[in-house]
Amino acid sequence: MRVHNSATIPNPEALQLDIAALRAETPGCRQVVHFNNAGCGLLATPVLTAMVGHLNLEARIGGYEASAARADGVRGFYTELAALINTAPENIAFAGSATHAYANALSSIPFEPGDTILTTRDDFVSNQIAFLSLRKRFGVQIVHAPNTPEGGVDVEAMARLMRAHRPRLVSVTHIPTNSGLVSPIAEIGRHCRELDLLYLVDACQSVGQYPLDVEEIGCDLLTATCRKFLRGPRGSGFLYVSDRVLRIGYEPLFIDMHGARWTAPGEYRPVGTAARFEEWEFPYATVLGSAAATRYAREVGLEAIAHRTPALAARLRDRLETVPGVRLLDRGPRLAALVTFAVDGAWQPQPFKEALDARKINSALSFREFAQFDFGDKDVDWCLRLSPHYYNTEEEVAHVADAVAEIVGGGGR
């Protein structure tokens, strides 16, 4: 199944969701106002059922035996994700997290002293730390493309840097964890293809929020977690590996008996699929839960999700913009469902979040150490992040905005 870009969305009636039914299948909606989907989405009942059912089966018949009995369901992890991002199951590798997937991808690239990694000023913190580690160990050069005045990477400037440096790797985070910015990854990908450059995309915050098509993006590698907008379990993620990367023969540094065959006492041969980036041991209940979450998102419809989720965030920004003492921080021509703001006055980060927690509103904090360039440009040391999803309601948006106004108006601590 090919997932369509949101620009080709059908008539608006096809995008209507049964919010009451979706909330009924989301037990957490009865407990909290969950505006921390950029951290973890709330599990839907089918996901929980798949995971608990497998753990019960392991308890009854044994772990190895249970995974064999659920082999078809385990294969569903690959087929569902392949359908979600328009690729083949053989191009998908399970990972324990997006960071695990990203590290495996980086470890497969034969960096040499003087190689360049070209990235942006809005990349994910763990990716930037990994680049600095590579610089320390191998002497690679890290180049950051500049941003436009309105926010987000200057694609033409980035293309000029591609031609000037011929980087070993181009790496872009689609949506950073610390703001609602949406980077133009397909536009960047076109330049990478023209120059035959290796292209890695971090799609952690966009998988499950927007339709993604790896052929349209033009990436060689793509990493994501399942726990965020895809609403899967913690401890799950995946790596997409293109046919080109597999043909070249890239493989993770610490490949194991699942990813390779020991063909002679002094030789091994990597398997021909993305499974070379996996390890032998799997958390099978988590894999099955991730498959169920992906299936659930596809049944809800990515076009409908991409229509509703950012719209809820835009409504929230509109409400927060009128609150004295609140400064919205999201910049860029296109904004996702991550709403970030700074608070004037004496409020400290943890007490502010605790004030929302006391109202059963889930949120998250982001700090300068997560976004040295972005927060430096915005002159903030911390912000609060609110991230609604399609199962949230307009009434919850109003409730959260009113709560923020009440807290800010009450003075700082």
Side-chain angles (χ1 to χ4, degrees), residues 17-288:
L17 297 175
D18 187 342
I19 302 302
L22 292 167
R23 289 175 67 82
E25 291 184 327
T26 306
C29 288
R30 296 188 284 274
Q31 307 296 322
V32 293
V33 178
H34 190 67
F35 273 42
N36 190 20
N37 292 282
C40 279
L42 290 178
L43 295 181
T45 299
V47 179
L48 188 61
T49 299
M51 297 179 68
V52 173
H54 187 75
L55 290 174
N56 284 331
L57 185 64
E58 285 188 347
R60 290 198 308 271
I61 70 172
Y64 285 19
E65 293 75 14
S67 62
R70 292 286 185 268
D72 287 345
V74 171
R75 281 192 290 272
F77 172 83
Y78 302 94
T79 57
E80 291 292 340
L81 276 168
L84 187 76
I85 65 171
N86 188 30
T87 189
E90 294 75 22
N91 296 94
I92 299 289
F94 175 82
S97 68
T99 298
H100 178 203
Y102 200 91
N104 263 359
L106 286 182
S107 80
S108 73
I109 302 169
F111 288 107
E112 297 178 357
D115 282 346
T116 296
I117 296 172
L118 176 60
T119 184
T120 73
R121 294 171 60 86
D122 298 292
D123 200 48
F124 180 53
V125 50
S126 292
N127 304 346
Q128 291 292 301
I129 291 172
F131 298 158
L132 292 170
S133 176
L134 288 168
R135 185 174 72 181
K136 182 190 295 185
R137 182 164 296 191
F138 296 112
V140 303
Q141 178 184 203
I142 308 166
V143 175
H144 295 87
N147 280 354
T148 65
E150 65 179 332
V153 66
D154 184 328
V155 176
E156 292 307 313
M158 193 172 195
R160 289 192 293 272
L161 290 169
M162 290 180 195
R163 291 189 288 271
H165 291 276
R166 303 297 302 189
R168 171 74 77 171
L169 176 69
V170 176
S171 178
V172 177
T173 294
H174 193 190
I175 301 172
T177 188
N178 54 280
S179 84
L181 172 73
V182 181
S183 296
I185 52 175
E187 190 177 347
I188 294 167
R190 284 194 290 275
H191 290 289
C192 289
R193 287 197 299 274
E194 289 171 5
L195 297 170
D196 194 29
L197 298 175
L198 189 69
Y199 184 31
L200 167 59
V201 171
D202 178 335
C204 227
Q205 297 288 3
S206 52
V207 166
Q209 182 178 175
Y210 289 114
L212 294 180
D213 182 333
V214 292
E215 294 299 324
E216 180 184 344
I217 296 167
C219 55
D220 296 288
L221 300 154
L222 181 142
T223 61
T225 185
C226 298
R227 77 174 191 270
K228 298 179 183 288
F229 288 94
L230 198 55
R231 302 181 61 192
R234 297 198 69 174
S236 61
F238 69 91
L239 168 66
Y240 158 75
V241 185
S242 70
D243 289 335
R244 181 171 86 128
V245 167
L246 293 173
R247 283 196 304 270
I248 291 172
Y250 283 9
E251 62 187 63
L253 180 60
F254 297 109
I255 196 166
D256 83 347
M257 60 185 282
H258 180 79
R261 301 293 173 263
W262 196 13
T263 54
E267 297 177 3
Y268 73 91
R269 184 180 67 252
V271 300
T273 69
R276 69 178 65 166
F277 288 87
E278 297 177 331
E279 289 86 35
W280 184 85
E281 178 57 22
F282 281 81
Y284 283 97
T286 300
V287 172
L288 291 166

Side-chain angles (χ1 to χ4, degrees), residues 320-321 323-331 340-344 375 377-384 408:
L320 292 175
E321 194 171 28
V323 177
V326 166
R327 176 162 65 100
L328 292 172
L329 300 176
D330 304 311
R331 300 175 59 206
T340 60
F341 61 90
V343 179
D344 294 339
F375 278 22
D377 293 341
K378 295 171 179 174
D379 192 27
V380 292
D381 291 322
W382 68 276
C383 76
L384 194 94
V408 173

Side-chain angles (χ1 to χ4, degrees), residues 338-405:
L338 286 75
V339 179
T340 60
F341 61 90
V343 179
D344 294 339
W347 274 106
Q348 293 301 306
Q350 198 59 44
F352 193 91
K353 183 181 181 302
E354 288 171 356
L356 284 171
D357 292 344
R359 292 163 171 80
K360 294 189 175 181
I361 297 171
N362 291 350
S363 64
L365 294 167
S366 194
F367 299 93
R368 185 176 287 224
E369 67 180 271
F370 300 168
Q372 289 285 356
F373 295 114
D374 185 47
F375 278 22
D377 293 341
K378 295 171 179 174
D379 192 27
V380 292
D381 291 322
W382 68 276
C383 76
L384 194 94
R385 184 187 70 193
L386 297 167
S387 47
H389 208 358
Y390 62 86
Y391 55 78
N392 291 118
T393 66
E394 288 78 4
E395 291 76 17
E396 286 180 322
V397 168
H399 173 66
V400 170
D402 289 345
V404 170

